[in-house]
Amino acid sequence: MALFPAFAGVDEAPGSGGSRKELDWLSNPSFCVGAITSLNQETKEAVALVSKGSTLTRSPLKSEPSDGSDTNKKLAQISRKRKKEKKKKRKHLHYKKTKRKHGQSSSSESEPDTDSGKDELSRSIRSTQKESEKASQGNNVAADVGHHSIWLEDIQTPTGELFRTDKKPDPANWEYKSLYRGDIARYKRKGDSCLGINPKKQCVSWEGVSTAKKHSHKHVERYFTKKSVGLMNMDGVAVTSKTELPSSEPVLFIPVKDSEDVAAPVTSWLNPLGIYDQSTTQWLQGQGPSEQESKQPDSQSDGQNAVLKAKVEEFNRKVRENPRDIQLWMAFVAFQDEVMKSPGLYAIEEGEQERRKKSLKLVLEKKLAILERAIESNQSSVELKLAKLKLCAEFWEPPTLVREWQKLIFLHPNNTALWQKYLLFCQSQFSTFSISKIHSLYGKCLSTLSAVKDGSILSHPALPGTEEAMFALFLQQCHFLRQAGHSEKAISLFQAMVDFTFFKPDSVKDLPTKVQVEFFEPFWDSGEPRPGEKGARGWRAWMHQQERGGWVIINPDEDDDEPEEDEQEIRDKTLPRWQIWLAAERSRDQRHWRPWRPDKMKKQTEEDCEDPERQVLFDDIGQSLIRLASEDLRFQLVEAFLQFLGVTSGFIPPASCLYLAMDENSIFDNRLYEEKPLTFFSPSFSGVGCVGHMERLGCPRWARGHNREGEEFIRNIFHLVMPLFSGKQKSQLCFSWLRYEIAKVIWCLHTKNKKRLKLQGKNCKKLAKNLLKEPENRNNFCLWKQYAHLEWLLGNIEDARKVFDTAVSMAGSSELKDRELCELSLLYAELEVELLQDLRGAATGRAVHILTRLTESSSYGPYTGQVLGTQILKARKAYEHALQDSLGENCVSGPAAADSLDCLSSLVKCFMLFQYLTVGIDAAVQIYEQLFVKLKGSIVPESPGLEDSASSQSLTSVLEAVTLMHTSLLRFHMKVSVYPLTPLREALSEALKLYPGNQVLWWSFVQIQNKSHSASKTRRFFDALIRSAKPLEPWLFAIEAEKMRKRLVETVQRVDGREIHATIPETGLTHRIRALFENAIRSDSGSQCPLLWRMYLNFLVSLGNKERSKGVFYKALQNCPWAKMLYLDAVEYFPEQLQEILDLMTEKELRVRMPLEELELLLED
């Protein structure tokens, strides 16, 4: 049978035998009978050839390679091929039998004389035997049909049914429950019945899914669903109006056409009105666009792609030319967001564009590749490595990220900014977070930076600003411990730093910090009273006394013993358990914030402490002690300690840790500002909580103070640190102390607690008189001003005027050069103006008299009557000349400029009030505008030098103070008379662009904008400022403004608890507030601000959505796991999860002062 049917007739074709041999491979030799004869013939010829070759090389001694070399080569090649085939066919059963038969026949026919000839002959015989075997096997196929498998096509006359027998077992039948689905015949079942059964009595239960088609009801998709939004997420087509010459005739409509010139449609029976375009007409006819039209690219997308491509090429060229430009690489990374928004430039196939738009991972991978290229060219760049770590947070696991951070810190141990970011990263990793780990990490950071600053680490010198950054990290650690509930450790850190900084013995001052800390440990463990405790003397005095033999212990009087605390923790046992626990926990937080130490006079030991966590060991604070050489930083340490205790010292934490420390909404509690805009007493807490207060959100606390032991602790601190300073710094401390006491008086006035007001007023006046009795404070106008203000607040108007007159008369003639005197006279005049709130002549007489006599060189005299016009004119001229002189001196740098800057703000405020009282509000506004134009140019440009930047900062503070005075004047004028809101709104808008972190300005802006029915301007202003400003205050006050509008809408919609028709249709306020929260917590400063998370959680709970609120709570813990206030809020909002929340606090080592087991015992009692 032929191998190819087209050559089936080749055997019968006439011709020579040579041509037949050439085409012999086309026939199938399996059924050729003559194959064996031809093979035998070829074998004989081969044997004859071998024997002939062997006779030529008969003599082994003398050979002629030229005659027999060709033959031997051919035989060698044949033998090699046959040897390979032999290895493949070694398993055949008939191999040995045929070998013997053919061996005998070949040996009888020829007998070669040499051994080499025998080998060659045997190899050729074996090859011919294999070919003959193949031929004989092919002839025997027909006989073995019953025993072997054959092809169905090879049988000429198939008879009967043919089957293929497969005897190989299938082990899969043992492993699986059923046969392979490919071996089962497919079929379709028509219906659920079966033939031959009675449908009334019998039925068949078919397994599997019914074949009946389920007609699913297709739900109509709304426009806001995910699928519809995805359909609408398409690039728009730009349209342009046709540019025509303006005509005098009225136009009915403005024609809008595509960007390309399109011919006007022709009217036809399909388009009778001529309003359909060409593509719509073709669709109505059932036709499609031509190939050329369909293949035309979109010119708009091509233009955008060309622009993007040009930008990408430009970036690539720049980074090739300037590979060391870090900012260029960062800009290239930021540019990838813009590229991926319109990824048609990189789209390869259809549909890829939409996938790229939604692929965040693709953008991250692209950025990561660029950053890796940048790091290769800039191995020492910390900024690029930080950007890479921030990017890899989306890819890597937390342990991998921690290892990479540790490598980076190891390479740059002197970089304070890197340490700060590393601490924040570890602090916000919920999976690996615990209080002890982060606390020890802070100690390692500060001790390493101290070693760098001392020069102990020779490979890394100290960078500029290291000392200020170490102080900021120290404050960050203290607020971290306070927010985690470990108030005792935070207070101990401050106590140790005060002793370590101000009372250091002279013998150890020149030693490295590590050695000084080792010397400090015996003093800390000696039991000596510490700062804030009664009888504290300091480290230096203790060291000198130890050298002399120790202190002489004197038994104290029994009258000085403090009474035991008899405050009952559980007042009402009928309340729910979670309320009792919250009240007890907050009560202990308020009372037990000071470290517990055994009282040796009472023979107490460490075992007498009921709560071991109240004891602080030296190992908890030793690593965090740092040296402060700068006098400013030393004073800031004391101010920070007082602010930590709740004293309004005016200190604001550094920007790096300000938003981490913000955890209460006191920044929105400015109700007293409405009552007295001019003399508003600002506590300036900046939202930073103080120790001992963990109240619920919205509970005002800014002037309640501490219990008796806490107040005594603060007094001891003041008595200890005031002798350490002199001049302005000591005056500032006295001012802070008196201001703290006055704040409690104002709180008593606000709450109308007359009994406590009388006691507090008496104590406050006693403190003021004692401070003024000191020789260095007798001419301190700052203290005189506070004392007179206290008398005025207590209602003693005449006594307050006497105090004011006495203080002003002590100054003599200063000619507007004394800042404190100007501030004293300004407050006196403002109080007189606010007293009557009537701007007619006689009412403003006293205020004008005060401001006029301030400019005169003669001694001050009390008010006797109406001020003369000539005196007013002279005073105005004096103010103008003084203002011009101050502004002229500010243009020249030097010490004189610094002194004049100190007085400039007070002078301008007095002049503005004087003009307001004598001329009007427009004159006061004009002064502010002139100063604003004059100073704004000096503030906006960034100064390169340190002295210039300090001068610019002073000018900024001056302009900020004058702006506050300007807004206060406008608010007061609007309160006493009719005046438009526009000037105040514009002034606040301009000021907030310069000072986006000023909370008083923001509160004024929010208050006046809340009176407007249209919120669009406010929202546009907030959106513009949020994009450009880094502080968090714009986010917080934008949220507060929307919440105030929401409360206003709800009060309008509810009357006596019933819902009425909405008069202000602000239905999207809830979603807007939620969107503001979500965007705010995505920012760097907002994601780790406890106050922002508390506000978000409180807002969602107020909506009644508990499930979403729980999700936000756990999301907040992922970012701020150290904030105990979040856990307390969660207990209040989700009381059923009290046990789970307490277990979580215990696991993360937060301070739990009232365990549930102790609560159960107290409830049983």
Side-chain angles (χ1 to χ4, degrees):
M1 184 177 180
L3 186 61
F4 295 96
F7 295 89
V10 170
D11 292 339
E12 291 80 18
S16 63
S19 62
R20 182 180 176 183
K21 285 183 179 180
E22 291 176 0
L23 299 174
D24 192 32
W25 61 276
L26 292 172
S27 62
N28 191 347
S30 301
F31 297 94
C32 183
V33 182
I36 300 175
T37 309
S38 62
L39 285 172
N40 288 333
Q41 185 65 25
E42 291 175 1
T43 305
K44 291 178 181 179
E45 292 176 358
V47 171
L49 182 64
V50 170
S51 62
K52 185 178 181 180
S54 64
T55 56
L56 293 173
T57 59
R58 189 169 184 174
S59 175
L61 299 175
K62 187 178 181 179
S63 61
E64 298 177 4
S66 60
D67 297 334
S69 61
D70 296 338
T71 308
N72 290 333
K73 286 179 181 179
K74 291 180 180 179
L75 291 173
Q77 291 175 0
I78 294 172
S79 65
R80 290 191 194 101
K81 294 179 181 178
R82 300 302 181 239
K83 194 172 183 180
K84 291 179 182 177
E85 292 178 2
K86 169 193 167 185
K87 291 179 181 178
K88 295 179 182 178
K89 302 296 182 179
R90 192 174 284 174
K91 292 183 180 181
H92 287 295
L93 297 175
H94 305 289
Y95 178 76
K96 293 183 180 180
K97 295 179 182 179
T98 51
K99 182 178 179 183
R100 289 172 190 155
K101 290 178 184 178
H102 289 279
Q104 292 172 0
S105 61
S106 62
S107 62
S108 61
E109 289 182 5
S110 63
E111 295 179 0
D113 296 335
T114 60
D115 294 339
S116 61
K118 288 180 182 179
D119 292 339
E120 297 293 339
L121 180 62
S122 61
R123 289 172 185 170
S124 63
I125 290 171
R126 285 170 192 165
S127 63
T128 55
Q129 285 172 355
K130 290 173 185 175
E131 294 180 1
S132 63
E133 282 179 13
K134 292 178 183 178
S136 62
Q137 288 174 5
N139 291 332
N140 294 332
V141 167
D144 297 338
V145 169
H147 302 285
H148 299 285
S149 302
I150 61 172
W151 297 105
L152 185 62
E153 294 81 359
D154 294 341
I155 301 176
Q156 300 295 334
T157 56
T159 56
E161 296 181 356
L162 298 177
F163 296 94
R164 182 177 182 274
T165 305
D166 186 7
K167 295 183 179 180
K168 184 180 180 181
D170 188 3
N173 292 333
W174 294 98
E175 297 177 12
Y176 303 101
K177 294 182 180 180
S178 62
L179 294 176
Y180 174 52
R181 59 183 179 86
D183 295 338
I184 301 175
R186 295 180 181 176
Y187 65 94
K188 290 184 179 179
R189 187 169 66 246
K190 300 287 186 181
D192 293 335
S193 62
C194 183
L195 294 176
I197 66 172
N198 188 356
K200 296 183 179 179
K201 299 180 180 180
Q202 296 173 320
C203 67
V204 178
S205 176
W206 301 99
E207 295 182 358
V209 185
S210 175
T211 57
K213 294 183 179 180
K214 294 182 179 180
H215 299 283
S216 60
H217 178 68
K218 190 174 181 181
H219 185 66
V220 180
E221 297 280 353
R222 294 296 301 279
Y223 68 94
F224 50 79
T225 58
K226 187 179 293 185
K227 184 178 179 181
S228 300
V229 169
L231 291 174
M232 290 190 292
N233 189 15
M234 298 172 66
D235 295 332
V237 180
V239 293
T240 56
S241 61
K242 189 174 181 181
T243 57
E244 294 181 355
L245 294 175
S247 61
S248 59
E249 298 179 358
V251 182
L252 297 177
F253 65 95
I254 301 174
V256 178
K257 295 190 179 295
D258 294 337
S259 57
E260 300 177 356
D261 294 333
V262 181
V266 182
T267 57
S268 62
W269 65 275
L270 278 174
N271 191 8
L273 299 177
I275 58 174
Y276 298 148
D277 59 358
Q278 186 178 0
S279 59
T280 308
T281 308
Q282 288 177 349
W283 182 82
L284 291 173
Q285 292 175 354
Q287 299 176 359
S290 62
E291 293 184 2
Q292 294 181 356
E293 293 178 358
S294 61
K295 290 182 180 179
Q296 283 181 355
D298 188 2
S299 60
Q300 182 184 3
S301 61
D302 286 350
Q304 291 178 353
N305 293 342
V307 172
L308 286 176
K309 190 174 182 180
K311 287 184 179 180
V312 171
E313 292 175 355
E314 182 71 13
F315 269 114
N316 284 322
R317 182 184 61 80
K318 286 181 178 179
V319 296
R320 277 197 307 269
E321 295 174 355
N322 304 310
R324 301 286 181 184
D325 192 347
I326 306 297
Q327 299 304 320
L328 182 61
W329 284 108
M330 297 300 293
F332 194 18
V333 171
F335 176 67
Q336 298 309 308
D337 293 326
E338 182 181 349
V339 173
M340 290 303 170
K341 285 178 183 176
S342 303
L345 180 63
Y346 299 113
I348 301 171
E349 57 186 18
E350 187 179 357
E352 187 178 358
Q353 185 170 353
E354 290 298 324
R355 290 199 301 271
R356 283 178 180 268
K357 280 184 180 179
K358 299 174 183 177
S359 177
L360 177 62
K361 188 177 180 182
L362 186 67
V363 182
L364 296 176
E365 289 175 351
K366 186 77 173 176
K367 290 182 177 180
L368 186 59
I370 295 173
L371 284 173
E372 287 175 351
R373 278 180 54 200
I375 292 173
E376 288 177 3
S377 304
N378 304 274
Q379 295 288 341
S380 61
S381 173
V382 179
E383 185 179 359
L384 290 173
K385 294 176 181 178
L386 280 175
K388 181 184 175 182
L389 283 176
K390 185 178 179 181
L391 203 63
C392 290
E394 304 288 337
F395 297 98
W396 294 347
E397 295 295 326
T400 310
L401 272 175
V402 171
R403 285 195 297 271
E404 292 298 322
W405 269 106
Q406 289 173 350
K407 291 178 184 176
L408 193 58
I409 285 293
F410 180 77
L411 293 175
H412 307 278
N414 59 340
N415 193 318
T416 54
L418 190 62
W419 273 109
Q420 209 262 347
K421 289 182 172 60
Y422 176 50
L423 289 169
L424 285 183
F425 166 76
C426 296
Q427 199 168 316
S428 58
Q429 291 294 314
F430 181 78
S431 57
T432 58
F433 171 82
S434 69
I435 297 295
S436 57
K437 284 183 182 178
I438 305 301
H439 182 54
S440 62
L441 193 61
Y442 271 105
K444 180 182 178 182
C445 165
L446 291 172
S447 59
T448 304
L449 289 174
S450 295
V452 169
K453 188 170 177 291
D454 294 339
S456 303
I457 302 179
L458 301 177
S459 58
H460 293 81
L463 299 176
T466 299
E467 191 174 2
E468 290 80 3
M470 290 169 63
F471 177 64
L473 288 171
F474 172 79
L475 291 183
Q476 184 174 320
Q477 181 185 11
C478 293
H479 283 289
F480 164 76
L481 291 172
R482 173 186 64 82
Q483 291 174 338
H486 294 271
S487 305
E488 301 92 345
K489 292 181 181 178
I491 294 294
S492 296
L493 271 174
F494 272 113
Q495 288 178 316
M497 274 298 296
V498 169
D499 258 324
F500 193 74
T501 303
F502 297 104
F503 300 100
K504 188 178 298 181
D506 297 334
S507 56
V508 300
K509 281 185 177 180
D510 298 330
L511 299 175
T513 306
K514 186 177 180 180
V515 182
Q516 292 183 13
V517 171
E518 292 174 356
F519 275 103
F520 183 72
E521 184 175 1
F523 164 71
W524 184 265
D525 294 334
S526 64
E528 184 69 15
R530 299 168 186 167
E533 299 175 1
K534 191 174 182 180
R537 300 179 182 89
W539 182 17
R540 186 189 301 113
W542 177 83
M543 183 77 80
H544 289 326
Q545 198 63 33
Q546 288 297 312
E547 294 171 357
R548 297 176 183 175
W551 299 109
V552 178
I553 300 175
I554 301 174
N555 293 326
D557 297 334
E558 295 182 358
D559 297 338
D560 295 337
D561 291 344
E562 299 177 358
E564 295 292 334
E565 296 178 355
D566 55 354
E567 184 178 350
Q568 191 174 0
E569 290 183 339
I570 301 177
R571 297 174 181 174
D572 189 359
K573 295 184 179 182
T574 60
L575 294 174
R577 191 173 68 154
W578 66 270
Q579 289 187 9
I580 298 174
W581 181 85
L582 267 181
E585 183 74 16
R586 284 171 173 157
S587 173
R588 289 191 176 183
D589 267 325
Q590 190 175 1
R591 291 182 291 115
H592 296 165
W593 52 267
R594 296 174 307 284
W596 187 91
R597 302 182 65 210
D599 191 350
K600 293 181 180 180
M601 303 301 176
K602 298 179 181 179
K603 298 181 180 180
Q604 291 180 344
T605 60
E606 294 181 354
E607 286 75 14
D608 294 332
C609 183
E610 297 178 357
D611 188 359
E613 290 290 330
R614 295 184 63 191
Q615 301 183 44
V616 182
L617 305 177
F618 184 77
D619 294 339
D620 297 328
I621 63 168
Q623 281 191 314
S624 301
L625 296 180
I626 58 176
R627 279 198 297 177
L628 298 177
S630 170
E631 289 296 328
D632 292 338
L633 287 180
R634 289 178 171 220
F635 183 66
Q636 286 182 25
L637 173 66
V638 175
E639 281 192 314
F641 192 13
L642 294 173
Q643 188 269 339
F644 198 80
L645 296 171
V647 179
T648 56
S649 62
F651 174 78
I652 297 177
S656 58
C657 63
L658 172 61
Y659 301 115
L660 290 169
M662 287 178 66
D663 49 15
E664 63 178 21
N665 63 344
S666 59
I667 58 175
F668 307 123
D669 187 20
N670 289 332
R671 287 171 288 179
L672 300 179
Y673 190 26
E674 287 289 328
E675 301 174 4
K676 297 181 178 180
L678 291 177
T679 59
F680 167 60
F681 186 86
S682 174
S684 65
F685 276 111
S686 306
V688 179
C690 68
V691 69
H693 292 282
M694 286 198 174
E695 304 297 336
R696 61 190 299 272
L697 198 68
C699 183
R701 68 95 189 150
W702 60 271
R704 283 174 297 170
H706 298 278
N707 54 10
R708 190 173 65 84
E709 292 80 8
E711 294 297 327
E712 185 179 356
F713 186 90
I714 293 174
R715 284 196 297 272
N716 291 335
I717 291 290
F718 273 111
H719 287 305
L720 181 69
V721 300
M722 280 176 61
L724 301 173
F725 300 98
S726 61
K728 291 184 178 180
Q729 293 178 339
K730 185 173 183 179
S731 174
Q732 177 66 26
L733 287 176
C734 296
F735 174 74
S736 299
W737 192 1
L738 192 54
R739 189 182 175 91
Y740 173 64
E741 297 295 334
I742 292 175
K744 290 188 279 189
V745 172
I746 295 176
W747 177 254
C748 294
L749 286 169
H750 186 65
T751 55
K752 299 179 181 179
N753 189 344
K754 295 183 179 180
K755 182 178 179 181
R756 189 174 180 183
L757 174 63
K758 185 178 180 180
L759 178 63
Q760 187 63 41
K762 182 180 178 181
N763 294 335
C764 197
K765 284 198 288 186
K766 183 179 178 182
L767 172 66
K769 291 177 180 179
N770 289 335
L771 290 175
L772 287 171
K773 284 179 182 178
E774 296 182 6
E776 61 268 22
N777 291 333
R778 287 178 182 174
N779 293 328
N780 191 336
F781 294 114
C782 187
L783 292 182
W784 281 103
K785 180 180 72 172
Q786 294 299 319
Y787 178 42
H789 194 193
L790 172 64
E791 293 284 2
W792 196 287
L793 288 171
L794 293 173
N796 307 324
I797 306 297
E798 292 300 324
D799 294 340
R801 284 173 177 165
K802 290 179 182 179
V803 174
F804 272 122
D805 293 340
T806 305
V808 175
S809 61
M810 289 169 53
S813 59
S814 61
E815 296 182 357
L816 300 173
K817 294 295 178 72
D818 191 344
R819 176 180 177 275
E820 297 298 338
L821 181 59
C822 290
E823 290 287 344
L824 175 67
S825 303
L826 178 65
L827 178 63
Y828 190 9
E830 286 175 340
L831 289 172
E832 291 288 356
V833 170
E834 284 186 342
L835 183 62
L836 299 176
Q837 296 189 359
D838 187 359
L839 297 181
R840 286 174 290 187
T844 60
R846 287 183 177 273
V848 174
H849 169 75
I850 296 165
L851 296 174
T852 304
R853 294 303 296 266
L854 182 62
T855 62
E856 296 177 357
S857 58
S858 59
S859 60
Y860 178 82
Y863 175 71
T864 55
Q866 192 70 21
V867 183
L868 299 176
T870 55
Q871 293 176 328
I872 294 176
L873 289 175
K874 288 180 182 179
R876 185 176 294 118
K877 286 293 181 182
Y879 277 119
E880 289 175 356
H881 287 304
L883 182 58
Q884 289 176 1
D885 293 341
S886 297
L887 291 176
E889 291 174 359
N890 289 327
C891 299
V892 182
S893 60
D899 295 337
S900 63
L901 267 179
D902 213 18
C903 186
L904 180 60
S905 62
S906 303
L907 173 64
V908 173
K909 288 191 285 187
C910 289
F911 190 21
M912 287 176 66
L913 184 60
F914 178 79
Q915 289 289 85
Y916 172 64
L917 295 175
T918 57
V919 181
I921 187 65
D922 295 333
V925 171
Q926 187 177 2
I927 296 173
Y928 167 74
E929 290 175 352
Q930 290 176 358
L931 186 72
F932 188 81
V933 172
K934 181 76 175 177
L935 297 183
K936 187 178 179 182
S938 305
I939 295 171
V940 176
E942 295 183 359
S943 303
L946 293 177
E947 295 182 358
D948 294 339
S949 62
S951 175
S952 178
Q953 187 176 4
S954 301
L955 286 173
T956 303
S957 60
V958 167
L959 189 56
E960 189 172 2
V962 174
T963 304
L964 285 173
M965 178 64 185
H966 177 221
T967 55
S968 300
L969 266 181
L970 288 174
R971 288 183 68 87
F972 176 77
H973 185 67
M974 291 170 59
K975 185 178 180 181
V976 298
S977 62
V978 179
Y979 194 71
L981 268 175
T982 305
L984 179 58
R985 185 185 289 118
E986 291 177 354
L988 286 171
S989 301
E990 289 295 324
L992 286 171
K993 290 176 184 177
L994 289 176
Y995 318 110
N998 191 305
Q999 297 172 359
V1000 179
L1001 290 176
W1002 274 118
W1003 191 86
S1004 302
F1005 181 77
V1006 168
Q1007 285 291 325
I1008 65 167
Q1009 292 297 98
N1010 189 43
K1011 298 176 181 178
S1012 175
H1013 288 286
S1014 175
S1016 57
K1017 289 184 179 180
T1018 311
R1019 289 167 179 169
R1020 284 198 299 270
F1021 178 75
F1022 273 116
D1023 290 342
L1025 209 56
I1026 281 169
R1027 291 191 184 97
S1028 60
K1030 291 183 180 180
L1032 193 62
E1033 279 84 2
W1035 287 108
L1036 294 173
F1037 282 93
I1039 293 168
E1040 184 65 19
E1042 297 294 343
K1043 288 170 71 175
M1044 290 170 66
R1045 178 166 288 274
K1046 187 173 183 293
R1047 286 194 292 268
L1048 177 64
V1049 171
E1050 288 176 351
T1051 54
V1052 171
Q1053 292 177 349
R1054 288 184 177 89
V1055 176
D1056 298 332
R1058 294 174 296 174
E1059 296 286 340
I1060 63 170
H1061 182 68
T1063 57
I1064 307 177
E1066 292 280 358
T1067 55
L1069 276 174
T1070 301
H1071 303 295
R1072 178 177 288 275
I1073 296 171
R1074 188 181 294 130
L1076 281 172
F1077 273 118
E1078 289 292 339
N1079 290 325
I1081 61 179
R1082 289 194 192 102
S1083 61
D1084 293 336
S1085 55
S1087 61
Q1088 294 172 335
C1089 178
L1091 172 60
L1092 188 62
W1093 285 108
R1094 292 186 72 193
M1095 291 171 60
Y1096 193 12
L1097 185 60
N1098 182 37
F1099 173 71
L1100 289 180
V1101 169
S1102 67
L1103 297 179
N1105 193 340
K1106 273 202 169 185
E1107 293 302 321
R1108 187 184 288 269
S1109 305
K1110 288 180 182 178
V1112 169
F1113 166 63
Y1114 288 112
K1115 190 177 178 182
L1117 294 188
Q1118 296 289 334
N1119 292 276
C1120 304
W1122 70 88
K1124 183 179 177 181
M1125 285 186 176
L1126 283 171
Y1127 297 86
L1128 298 183
D1129 290 345
V1131 170
E1132 185 176 353
Y1133 300 146
F1134 320 117
E1136 69 278 359
Q1137 293 186 331
L1138 173 63
Q1139 184 66 52
E1140 178 184 345
I1141 294 171
L1142 285 181
D1143 292 342
L1144 197 59
M1145 292 174 68
T1146 307
E1147 177 188 349
K1148 297 302 176 184
E1149 300 177 1
L1150 272 79
R1151 188 82 162 88
V1152 179
R1153 300 180 183 272
M1154 173 70 78
L1156 280 182
E1157 295 79 10
E1158 183 180 355
L1159 180 66
E1160 297 294 341
L1161 293 175
L1162 291 174
L1163 289 175
E1164 288 177 3
D1165 296 340

